[in-house]
Amino acid sequence: MKRIAVMTSGGDSPGMNAAIRSTVRVALNEGMEVLGIINGYAGMTEDQMVNLDSRAVGDILHRGGTMLGTARCEYFKTAEGRRQALDNLRRRGVEGLVVIGGDGSLRGAKLLGEMGLPVVGLPGTIDNDIWGTDYTIGFDTAVNTVVDAINKLRDTASAHGRVMVIEVMGRKSGWIAMTSGLAGGAEQILIPEMEVNLAEICEQLRISRSNGKKYSIVVVAEGVEGASDIGDRIIAETGLETRVSVLGHIQRGGSPTVFDRILASTLSEQAVLSLKSGASGVMFGYEKGAVVAVDIGEAVENKKEIAPGMFRLAAVLAK
Ligand code: ADP
Ligand code: F6P
């Protein structure tokens, strides 16, 4: 294999740059050339690609976002779009592809692999909702950002004796809410994976106030319901002074943590080495302290569950 391509796709996540850097430098070390595809599948269908040498990926390891850009591309979801993308890659002599992205991006990668191009996927999303890996690239940075925000919101909630409702990202998944809520000491954590009984939650907020708690932190995953509606409901049912904060895209940015840099660098190394040795249709993940290869099809078809133990522990610790 003489030439591979690398791309980032879907929502950006901190550590994508570390993954691009590692992919390029490991490939160069193995005697391969690397093309960078601009703006994910959009750039692939529009033939926007640049040659990446070692210097091109300098000064990016510590930066959030992605130097290649990313996009969401409806055209690639069509058979015609994928055919055009593959034609562009073939014309440029690309013999293997590394796709860094979330669930949708990996679905696209699987389809390209089935068309005959060797493809390896890496889980890159803040949502941590990819089966086959304990952690996705960017999740650790995102939850650290959220916990930092919870700490700050706690200061002002405490000062005023308020209920602070904090909405976090995650699309349909509650991983960001569960993890940051547990680490940030939230009294209530609302996630789409668990039935949410708002009347019961309001009752618990009332009880905790009468038991001496001076303020409350409620973390809501965006996949449950808008935090502002939940805040209104809490005010209506408890009469407690309540404020709502929607953290939004701040969760996607920032310098990647050490964990995300190392995760991105090691998974990318395996992606390149496996392409070189003839692999295709696999995603590299990190499970129980080791790098693992899983079938991309299994990664996108299975749902990663949130351990109920986390939920139970958060409830106990919030008492
Ligand atoms: P993420 O990768 O973060 O989950 P998206 O779901 O938006 O983000 O997917 C990113 C891109 O991957 C989409 O814009 C589209 O180009 C491609 N994609 C998503 N789902 C599919 C699919 N089922 N088939 C082909 N391509 C897909
Ligand atoms: O998948 C990452 C993510 O940040 C989700 O948590 C969120 O729902 C979505 O992307 C937001 O997408 P956009 O940047 O297109 O608003």
Side-chain angles (χ1 to χ4, degrees):
M1 190 167 284
K2 285 270 168 279
R3 181 175 292 165
I4 64 170
V6 60
M7 63 179 268
T8 49
S9 171
D12 63 304
S13 67
M16 281 184 162
N17 277 324
I20 296 166
R21 170 179 176 268
S22 174
T23 299
V24 170
R25 291 189 175 165
V26 170
L28 294 174
N29 194 50
E30 295 295 320
M32 295 187 275
E33 293 173 357
V34 186
L35 289 183
I37 301 170
I38 306 299
N39 294 338
Y41 292 121
M44 195 186 276
T45 57
E46 293 158 10
D47 198 28
Q48 290 181 38
M49 303 179 202
V50 291
N51 187 51
L52 295 176
D53 61 14
S54 190
R55 296 284 65 78
V57 294
D59 202 28
I60 63 168
L61 173 64
H62 59 298
R63 297 186 196 280
T66 158
M67 69 163 289
L68 291 174
T70 183
R72 295 198 164 99
C73 172
E74 285 305 309
Y75 183 45
F76 185 80
K77 289 185 177 172
T78 66
E80 186 198 338
R82 289 193 293 277
R83 171 54 52 200
Q84 190 168 322
L86 189 60
D87 287 348
N88 289 337
L89 293 173
R90 294 237 193 269
R91 202 171 332 102
R92 286 177 177 266
V94 172
E95 298 168 289
L97 174 68
V98 178
V99 174
I100 307 157
D103 173 73
S105 306
L106 297 174
R107 282 178 196 277
K110 174 176 178 275
L111 294 175
L112 273 180
E114 288 167 0
M115 292 164 78
L117 180 75
V119 179
V120 172
L122 296 180
T125 166
I126 63 165
D127 299 338
N128 204 33
D129 59 348
I130 309 281
W131 186 90
T133 187
D134 291 342
Y135 300 100
T136 56
I137 297 165
F139 172 68
D140 185 63
T141 307
V143 287
N144 274 288
T145 300
V146 173
V147 169
D148 183 51
I150 293 175
N151 292 341
K152 288 172 174 148
L153 292 166
R154 176 184 288 280
D155 288 344
T156 173
S158 158
H160 284 265
R162 287 172 169 161
V163 177
M164 190 63 76
V165 181
I166 305 167
E167 180 183 309
V168 301
M169 281 186 165
R171 211 179 279 193
K172 293 178 183 154
S173 150
W175 272 101
I176 294 178
M178 189 68 245
T179 307
S180 62
L182 183 54
E187 191 177 323
Q188 297 288 339
I189 302 171
L190 283 58
I191 57 173
E193 290 85 348
M194 308 278 291
E195 195 192 325
V196 173
N197 182 337
L198 260 186
E200 166 78 24
I201 285 166
C202 289
E203 179 61 14
Q204 285 177 13
L205 288 171
R206 253 197 315 263
I207 292 170
S208 71
R209 200 57 72 102
S210 60
N211 284 345
K213 260 201 195 261
K214 293 193 167 50
Y215 68 97
S216 301
I217 301 290
V218 177
V219 173
V220 185
E222 64 176 348
V224 171
E225 193 184 335
S228 119
D229 290 347
I230 289 171
D232 288 346
R233 197 62 197 276
I234 291 172
I235 294 168
E237 295 205 15
T238 67
L240 293 168
E241 204 181 343
T242 300
R243 293 290 185 273
V244 171
S245 281
V246 179
L247 297 188
H249 286 79
I250 197 166
Q251 296 161 89
R252 285 249 290 269
S255 182
T257 58
V258 170
F259 182 87
D260 275 328
R261 295 180 196 199
I262 291 178
L263 181 68
S265 301
T266 48
L267 295 188
S268 304
E269 176 192 30
Q270 289 311 311
V272 172
L273 298 180
S274 75
L275 274 177
K276 194 183 176 201
S277 61
S280 183
V282 293
M283 179 196 85
F284 283 94
Y286 181 78
E287 275 192 333
K288 298 188 178 73
V291 174
V292 291
V294 297
D295 180 76
I296 290 195
E298 282 190 51
V300 296
E301 294 313 331
N302 287 299
K303 180 162 169 51
K304 183 157 99 184
E305 305 292 343
I306 294 186
M310 283 180 91
F311 201 80
R312 279 197 301 273
L313 179 59
V316 169
L317 298 183
K319 284 209 163 70

